[in-house]
Structures are given as structure tokens and as C-alpha cells.
Amino acid sequence: NHKSVVFPMDYTLDKAKHTKKELSAIKDVLGTFTTSYAGSASGRCANVENGASLINGTLLYPGDSFSVYSKVAPFTADNGYHLAGSYSNGQTVQTYGGGICQVSTTLYNAVIRAELEITERSAHSMIVSYVEPSMDAAISGEYKDLKFKNSTKYPVYIEGYTDGGIIHFNVL
């Protein structure tokens, strides 16, 4: 015969910062962009797919800022990256995370179409093949990053995915 003992617990419920009604406003596509990585080596393909999955599902409230580097780093095998080609001082070298710039570039083009505020963007040291010149957004260590801000009055949701050698970003 065991008796249950109930201990009273003091607690307070915090009101949610944002409401279901507020989040239900996320329904319109503000910007979208795709690029192809279909001809890439397997390591680069894996890195593009990993980068898209790390960004997918990001929710930014009005005034929130976003850094691609902060979201996708570190560039290690433990974080899902493979060795692949990347630019360094005018040469192509093998690094973990090679191809992540295609992720940031595709997102950059969706974000500018959504008319969000770009706060930092850098070009590559050489021309890339997956977008026209000056449409790229390089990621390199902490000194080249793509950063932007939700300059709207509503929450913004970022959807990123890959399908059949195409990377897609939608800003809703």
C-alpha cells in the first residue's frame, strides 16, 4: 500500500511574446528564388542541401536581424558538411562547407525580392556560375556574411529546401 504524495508547486505562466493570430499573418510569398547545383560534385551537393536545411524554418519578427554565417556555421563534418571546392585568394581550394555561398546567394536574391533590408553583403573574389555578376553573396569566415533585417510590420518565415539539384528559398 503506497500512497501518493502531492507537493504543491509555485509557478507563474508567462504570456507568449507573440500570438497565434500574429503568426497566422504569415501567408503571402514576399520573395522567392532558385538556383541549380545539379552539375556539382557530391560533396558540394551535400553542403548546399545541408545549408538550406539549417536555414529552413527561420522565423523573424519585425526588427529581427539574421546572419547566414551564424545560422550555418561551424563548417565541420560534425555539423553536416563535406569537403568541396571554395574560393580562397583567387584559387579554388577544398574546404568543409564548399558551396555554402550558393545557399547565401539564393537566399540573398529571395530576400531582395521580398524587399527586406540588407545590412551586409559581399561579392565573391571571382565570378560564380549560378547567378549573373553582382547577384552573389559570399560567405567567408566572419568577415564576409549575408545579413538582413525584417523591416516589415509582420513576422517573416524563411523556407529553404532542395529538390532535384535545385535550391529554393521562399520568404513568406
Side-chain angles (χ1 to χ4, degrees):
N1 287 343
H2 296 282
K3 291 187 178 183
S4 296
V5 178
V6 177
F7 296 99
M9 183 165 71
D10 291 330
Y11 64 92
T12 58
L13 292 176
D14 293 333
K15 186 175 180 179
K17 183 178 178 184
H18 299 281
T19 65
K20 183 177 180 180
K21 180 181 177 186
E22 183 181 41
L23 294 178
S24 70
I26 301 173
K27 59 186 173 191
D28 298 321
V29 176
L30 302 176
T32 187
F33 201 76
T34 62
T35 59
S36 173
Y37 63 96
S40 297
S42 63
R44 189 176 187 285
C45 290
N47 292 340
V48 170
E49 292 162 5
N50 187 50
S53 71
L54 291 170
I55 294 171
N56 183 48
T58 297
L59 183 62
L60 300 173
Y61 289 100
D64 283 355
S65 293
F66 181 81
S67 158
V68 170
Y69 179 81
S70 295
K71 195 74 169 179
V72 299
F75 301 109
T76 62
D78 287 344
N79 199 27
Y81 291 105
H82 297 252
L83 284 171
S86 62
Y87 292 157
S88 179
N89 298 319
Q91 298 180 354
T92 301
V93 297
Q94 295 292 306
T95 63
Y96 280 98
I100 200 66
C101 293
Q102 185 164 355
V103 174
S104 63
T105 293
T106 308
L107 178 58
Y108 169 67
N109 282 274
V111 167
I112 60 175
R113 283 161 176 75
E115 298 182 353
L116 300 183
E117 180 184 344
I118 305 295
T119 56
E120 184 179 329
R121 176 251 168 201
S122 298
H124 285 81
S125 60
M126 301 188 296
I127 296 294
V128 297
S129 62
Y130 43 85
V131 290
E132 296 296 318
S134 78
M135 291 177 62
D136 61 318
I139 301 292
S140 184
E142 294 186 32
Y143 68 95
K144 281 190 177 182
D145 194 358
L146 171 62
K147 295 180 181 177
F148 58 91
K149 181 179 179 180
N150 178 0
S151 48
T152 73
K153 295 187 268 182
Y154 304 99
V156 170
Y157 180 82
I158 299 172
E159 178 182 50
Y161 62 95
T162 58
D163 181 35
I166 305 289
I167 178 171
H168 305 258
F169 275 108
N170 299 311
V171 180
L172 300 115

